Amino acid sequence: MEKNEKPRTPIQTMQFTIIGLSNAAVDIGSLNLLLLLHPTNQNLTLTTFNTIAYCLAVSNSYLWNSMITFRHTARGNSKQRFGFFLQALFSLLINNGVFLLFNFLFQFIGMPAWIRHNSAKAVAMFASFTASFFMMKYFVFKEQPKRNSRF
């Protein structure tokens, strides 16, 4: 980073958070729509619904984060797309694991299904959101060191 260039992390964090709110709306909205159409407490169906909702949110995330948050480093090449896919897959595993774990814990304490599903989803989104930001910043859209030019 050159001396006159400001670090982007605070701005990127703010942009990522704002986009994350739109991802949350897509994620929670999709999950609730699926649960409204087909109420369930079956872990396999919940995992399927959560995965569908997560994939819709991740598509939204890639579109907006590549155009806004990481526009300075997003090249749209196959290496970045593959890296984004890997981080999304890893974040999906985090999201599903946390969602199922907290759904079970909230069910154990007797929380009603709608509140339980949405509370578990909120915790899962926070966990995968945090992991996703760091993976995108430091692996997928990592800033490349600038080459010194003699001219």
Side-chain angles (χ1 to χ4, degrees):
M1 185 179 324
E2 293 179 14
K3 288 182 182 181
N4 62 353
E5 188 177 328
K6 293 181 183 176
R8 293 189 184 108
T9 301
I11 292 170
Q12 284 178 319
T13 303
M14 181 187 68
Q15 291 168 330
F16 193 81
T17 300
I18 291 168
I19 292 167
L21 292 173
S22 74
N23 298 339
V26 169
D27 204 348
I28 291 173
S30 301
L31 178 65
N32 279 292
L33 179 62
L34 291 167
L35 288 169
L36 180 68
L37 296 174
H38 185 75
T40 187
N41 281 316
Q42 299 295 318
N43 282 342
L44 181 59
T45 307
L46 286 171
T47 301
T48 302
F49 287 176
N50 189 55
T51 300
I52 291 167
Y54 178 83
C55 287
L56 291 171
V58 162
S59 298
N60 184 64
S61 174
Y62 182 79
L63 173 72
W64 293 110
N65 279 307
S66 64
M67 290 187 338
I68 297 172
T69 310
F70 301 107
R71 71 183 176 277
H72 300 292
T73 55
R75 292 179 293 287
N77 60 29
S78 56
K79 181 180 177 185
Q80 278 188 345
R81 277 190 232 106
F82 182 70
F84 186 86
F85 173 78
L86 285 179
Q87 77 74 31
L89 185 60
F90 185 69
S91 291
L92 173 63
L93 294 173
I94 292 170
N95 193 289
N96 275 332
V98 171
F99 176 70
L100 291 174
L101 174 66
F102 278 84
N103 186 58
F104 172 76
L105 293 173
F106 294 152
Q107 185 175 20
F108 183 74
I109 64 172
M111 193 177 278
W114 186 83
I115 296 170
R116 179 179 77 237
H117 293 148
N118 282 281
S119 298
K121 184 62 178 173
V123 176
M125 286 183 347
F126 179 77
S128 63
F129 167 88
T130 303
S132 182
F133 175 77
F134 288 105
M135 286 185 283
M136 281 200 273
K137 177 153 180 69
Y138 296 109
F139 298 107
V140 179
F141 299 118
K142 171 176 67 172
E143 288 193 41
Q144 301 298 318
K146 295 190 182 201
R147 295 181 184 166
N148 290 335
S149 175
R150 294 179 185 222
F151 303 102

